[in-house]
Amino acid sequence: MNNLLVMAMKLSTGYVRASGYAHKVRRVLFALTRGKVDPKEVVRAAGELNQYIFERFQELGVDKADVVRITVPFEIQDGKIVWDYGSLNIEIYRRSEEEKLAKALEEVEEREKELEERISEIEETATRIKNLVEELLEKIERLKEEHTSLKLKAEE
């Protein structure tokens, strides 16, 4: 471990229930810093960040059933993890909004299905065109062969 090295990194939890954010933060931080920072420092830094996030959750009225995604940049300076709290981002997807989200997802899925159907139609058309081109090329080759054999017969 090179303690003089300053390394910029970013922690991102992915989507997680608010009730499970602390465990996820700790796991992700351990994974990101493996071999770069003493494990005791990881535990300390994760605890510090989790306390900060918990306070933000209270300010924002986050319910434990809400889904969140947390991202925060940090640096490793002299073997210590230093959080950039000013750039902390907490996305919140409230459970009360799940019905709206479900409808939106349903609409997206319908549009994706429509898109897949149209792509399939275009692929079928492209295959038919390809087959026609191959058929035309075969006919052209036959004409050339016939023309060449006629030419040879005429020269005899």
Side-chain angles (χ1 to χ4, degrees):
M1 283 184 253
N2 186 350
N3 289 343
L4 301 175
L5 184 66
V6 174
M7 201 178 287
M9 301 180 89
K10 186 175 199 173
L11 179 140
S12 178
T13 61
Y15 296 101
V16 62
R17 289 268 178 217
S19 60
Y21 82 91
H23 180 66
K24 185 73 176 243
V25 163
R26 194 168 31 259
R27 281 187 19 230
V28 170
L29 189 58
F30 265 109
L32 288 172
T33 60
R34 184 171 291 123
K36 297 176 184 98
V37 177
D38 185 296
K40 289 179 185 175
E41 171 59 13
V42 176
V43 171
R44 182 208 63 77
E48 178 185 300
L49 179 61
N50 283 333
Q51 179 61 39
Y52 185 84
I53 292 170
F54 179 76
E55 290 168 5
R56 293 287 295 134
F57 277 6
Q58 288 182 319
E59 291 170 15
L60 297 167
V62 175
D63 184 82
K64 65 182 180 179
D66 292 342
V67 172
V68 295
R69 181 167 61 174
I70 302 162
T71 54
V72 60
F74 66 95
E75 289 184 348
I76 299 173
Q77 299 176 356
D78 298 325
K80 298 284 183 199
I81 296 171
V82 180
W83 299 109
D84 180 0
Y85 290 114
S87 298
L88 173 80
N89 185 37
I90 301 172
E91 294 175 45
I92 305 164
Y93 301 90
R94 304 211 183 264
R95 186 174 186 169
S96 60
E97 295 172 350
E98 282 183 14
E99 189 175 314
K100 288 183 206 169
L101 185 59
K103 284 182 182 178
L105 284 174
E106 190 176 308
E107 187 176 315
V108 166
E109 287 170 356
E110 284 176 24
R111 287 184 181 175
E112 284 178 350
K113 185 179 176 186
E114 259 180 53
L115 179 62
E116 286 175 20
E117 288 172 359
R118 288 186 179 174
I119 288 172
S120 180
E121 288 173 9
I122 292 170
E123 286 173 340
E124 288 172 14
T125 302
T127 301
R128 286 196 308 270
I129 291 171
K130 180 183 170 211
N131 292 339
L132 284 172
V133 166
E134 288 173 359
E135 187 180 326
L136 285 171
L137 289 172
E138 286 173 17
K139 287 181 179 184
I140 290 171
E141 279 305 309
R142 271 187 265 133
L143 281 173
K144 285 180 181 177
E145 288 172 12
E146 289 173 11
H147 175 71
T148 305
S149 67
L150 287 175
K151 198 175 185 183
L152 289 174
K153 285 183 183 179
E155 291 174 357
E156 289 176 2

